[in-house]
Every structure is written in C-alpha cells, then in structure tokens.
Amino acid sequence: MLWRKDEIMYGIDEKRKEIIEFTEKLSEEEAHQKPAEEKWSILEILEHLYLMEEMVVYRMKQSLKQGDLQQATEKPVHKTVDRTRKVEAPESVQPKGEFESLEEAMDRLEKTREATMFLIHNKDKEVLQNRIYPHPSFGDMNLEQWVEFIGWHELRHLEQMKEVKQKIS
C-alpha cells in the first residue's frame, strides 16, 4: 500500500508551521542573540533543525539502498518534546554558524523538508517499516518512526527557541 500524503505527514507539516509562525515574529537581532555564551541562539537552533533533518534524509537514503529487511519495536518518539531530559546533540548536527539570516535558515529548512518529502513520496508503507537505523536515545527505529521523529524534534526545539526569546527580552 502506498502512502497518501495525509497519512505519511505524521503532523510534520503542522509542526513546521509552528516553527514558521514563531520565526515570523522575530527580528534578525533576536534571532542572532544568545541567552548566554555557551547557549545556542535561535538562528543556531534553526541550523540544528536543518542539520538534523538533512542527516535523517541521508541516513534514510542509505537504509533504503543498503539496509536489510529488519523491524524495530515502536518507540515513544513523542517524548522527544520533554525538555526535562537533556540530550547532547551529536557533533555532526551541532550548529556551526552557517546561517546569516532568518530568511536563509527558513529557506534551508524548506529545502530539507522537500528532500524528506521527495524521499518518502510513493514509498510502500512496508518499505519504511522494514528498514531501520539507530537513534542515539531510542535505539533502532524504522524509517516511518524517523519521519515522525522529525516533527517531535522540531517541537522540542520550538520550546527551546521560546525560552531563548524570553531570556533575551
């Protein structure tokens, strides 16, 4: 059975819309400002979201090309939004100060979302459910869960961006 667009989205478009609505109310100054030297700015958080989705798409492509048929138990990816549990981002998805502006950040996020949608478009549900790769906290997850994770991960960082905005105001 092929995925219909509304079935595969797992709410990722709605969750992305919340990110967009939040950033539309920011000034460039707010986006660049850090609440503390060791903390990420909102622009850096957006870069992290971009890097994360880019990495997920890359890993999903690898799994689809080379992965053996495997199944993973369902993981509670919705718990990703729980910010009481601190998680250190892997080095590969930590921001490096690539983005100069909110416009650039949102453009790059749009491109990674297009890549995600292109990758999963017209894939059989069984294909996504029978390919896995490990998540640093949840362990092995199938590709279907990885798509869902993207949205929950964005909501987690939306809360972080709201905290940053509150601290810099």
Side-chain angles (χ1 to χ4, degrees), residues 53 57 61 110-120:
E53 189 165 2
V57 168
K61 282 179 185 176
E110 184 179 327
K111 284 180 175 37
T112 55
R113 182 53 47 87
E114 288 170 2
T116 300
M117 298 313 298
F118 182 79
L119 181 64
I120 62 177

Side-chain angles (χ1 to χ4, degrees), residues 83-101:
R83 291 196 31 83
T84 61
R85 185 168 174 262
K86 297 296 178 198
V87 179
E88 181 75 22
E91 182 66 32
S92 62
V93 295
Q94 288 189 16
K96 291 138 184 79
E98 277 187 39
F99 297 158
E100 301 280 328
S101 67

Side-chain angles (χ1 to χ4, degrees), residues 10-22 45-46 48-49 77-83 113 148-163:
Y10 298 111
I12 63 174
D13 274 353
E14 291 82 7
K15 291 171 177 100
R16 174 61 62 84
K17 186 177 180 207
E18 289 186 52
I19 298 282
I20 293 167
E21 289 171 355
F22 176 80
I45 296 167
L46 293 170
H48 167 70
L49 294 177
V77 293
H78 64 281
K79 291 186 176 183
T80 303
V81 297
D82 178 9
R83 291 196 31 83
R113 182 53 47 87
E148 183 180 359
F149 169 78
I150 292 168
W152 294 115
H153 179 255
E154 288 190 355
L155 285 187
R156 175 186 182 88
H157 288 290
L158 175 59
E159 291 308 308
Q160 182 185 11
M161 289 187 283
K162 288 176 180 177
E163 291 168 14

